[in-house]
C-alpha cells in the first residue's frame, strides 16, 4: 500500500488523476485517443501492432511477451476448441491474426471503434490470407452479433475504454 500510495502521489504531480477518474468516455473520445497515440503505440509497444502490454516473466522485457495473453487463451482451447470467437477492441489486428494463423478451423470476428484500426487490421488479415476472420466497426456496448452466436469472446485491455462496463459485460 505504501508503494502504491507513493506511485500515485508521483503520478498526481504530472496528471490530473481525479479528472481522469471522472472522465466519461464515448466512442469519439476513444477514437481521438487512438488517433493521437498511433505513432507512440507503434514505437513503444510493438511494430507488429500489439497495442497491449507484454507479459514477461522475471522482470525482463521480451517481445515474445506480446503473445503471452494469446497463449493463455489458446491453452484453454486444447480440450474444447471453440467454433466462433469474438475479440472486443481488436486494435491493429495483432491478436486475431496471431490466433487465426494457428487455428484455421475457428471462425474469428472482431469489433473495434476506430476506423483507422479497422483499416490497419483488414490489411493485416488480407496480407496473411486469413479468410476465416471478419472485422467490423462496432461498439462493445451494443454488439452486432446475434445472441448466442459466439462460443467465446475476449478483450485484452479494451474494457478500460468502456463507458459503461456493466452494460458492455452484459452484451
Amino acid at each position: 500500500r505504501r508503494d502504491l500510495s507513493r506511485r500515485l502521489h508521483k503520478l498526481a504531480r504530472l496528471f490530473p488523476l481525479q479528472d481522469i477518474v471522472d472522465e466519461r468516455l464515448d466512442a469519439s473520445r476513444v477514437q481521438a485517443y487512438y488517433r493521437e497515440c498511433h505513432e507512440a503505440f507503434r514505437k513503444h509497444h510493438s511494430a507488429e501492432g500489439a497495442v497491449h502490454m507484454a507479459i514477461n516473466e522475471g522482470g525482463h522485457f521480451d517481445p515474445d511477451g506480446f503473445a503471452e495473453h494469446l497463449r493463455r487463451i489458446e491453452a484453454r482451447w486444447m480440450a474444447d476448441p471453440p467454433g466462433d470467437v469474438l475479440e472486443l477492441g481488436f486494435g491493429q489486428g495483432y491478436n486475431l491474426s496471431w490466433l487465426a494463423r494457428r487455428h484455421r478451423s475457428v471462425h474469428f470476428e472482431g469489433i473495434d471503434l476506430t476506423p483507422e484500426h479497422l483499416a490497419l487490421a483488414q490489411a493485416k488479415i488480407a496480407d496473411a490470407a486469413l479468410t476465416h476472420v471478419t472485422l467490423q466497426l462496432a461498439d462493445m456496448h451494443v454488439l452486432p452479433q446475434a445472441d448466442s452466436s459466439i462460443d467465446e469472446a475476449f478483450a485484452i485491455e479494451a474494457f478500460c475504454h468502456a463507458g459503461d462496463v456493466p452494460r458492455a459485460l452484459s452484451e
Side-chain angles (χ1 to χ4, degrees), residues 101-137:
R101 283 184 175 106
R102 297 164 59 95
H103 300 277
R104 299 209 178 250
S105 64
V106 175
H107 175 253
F108 291 93
E109 294 185 44
I111 64 160
D112 199 280
L113 281 175
T114 310
E116 293 84 357
H117 283 172
L118 178 61
L120 288 165
Q122 283 176 325
K124 182 178 290 199
I125 296 303
D127 288 347
L130 299 170
T131 58
H132 57 297
V133 178
T134 305
L135 304 174
Q136 60 184 314
L137 203 58

Side-chain angles (χ1 to χ4, degrees), residues 1-2 4 13 17 34 37 52 65 81 96 105 127 139 147 158 161 165:
R1 285 181 183 249
R2 189 178 352 210
L4 176 60
R13 286 185 277 166
L17 295 183
Y34 279 107
C37 297
H52 51 76
L96 286 175
S105 64
D127 288 347
D139 187 332
D147 289 350
H161 298 297
V165 173

Side-chain angles (χ1 to χ4, degrees), residues 20-135:
I20 293 169
V21 169
D22 293 340
E23 181 180 23
R24 295 294 163 240
L25 295 175
D26 62 11
S28 64
R29 295 277 301 138
V30 173
Q31 291 166 348
Y33 167 79
Y34 279 107
R35 215 172 286 119
E36 293 164 11
C37 297
H38 176 76
E39 291 306 318
F41 279 124
R42 294 297 263 192
K43 181 178 179 185
H44 298 291
H45 283 267
S46 96
E48 295 81 22
V51 180
H52 51 76
M53 301 304 262
I55 297 176
N56 296 121
E57 300 294 333
H60 299 286
F61 175 75
D62 180 342
D64 189 52
F66 287 118
E68 185 59 26
H69 306 78
L70 307 171
R71 283 190 286 274
R72 293 177 186 198
I73 289 169
E74 171 179 73
R76 291 194 324 270
W77 298 353
M78 293 307 169
D80 187 20
D84 296 283
V85 173
L86 171 65
E87 181 178 14
L88 306 169
F90 58 74
Q92 297 175 33
Y94 176 85
N95 302 322
L96 286 175
S97 64
W98 192 94
L99 287 167
R101 283 184 175 106
R102 297 164 59 95
H103 300 277
R104 299 209 178 250
S105 64
V106 175
H107 175 253
F108 291 93
E109 294 185 44
I111 64 160
D112 199 280
L113 281 175
T114 310
E116 293 84 357
H117 283 172
L118 178 61
L120 288 165
Q122 283 176 325
K124 182 178 290 199
I125 296 303
D127 288 347
L130 299 170
T131 58
H132 57 297
V133 178
T134 305
L135 304 174

Side-chain angles (χ1 to χ4, degrees), residues 139-157:
D139 187 332
M140 71 172 76
H141 296 88
V142 185
L143 294 178
Q145 288 76 15
D147 289 350
S148 302
S149 65
I150 301 295
D151 298 320
E152 182 169 327
F154 72 94
I156 299 176
E157 296 185 27

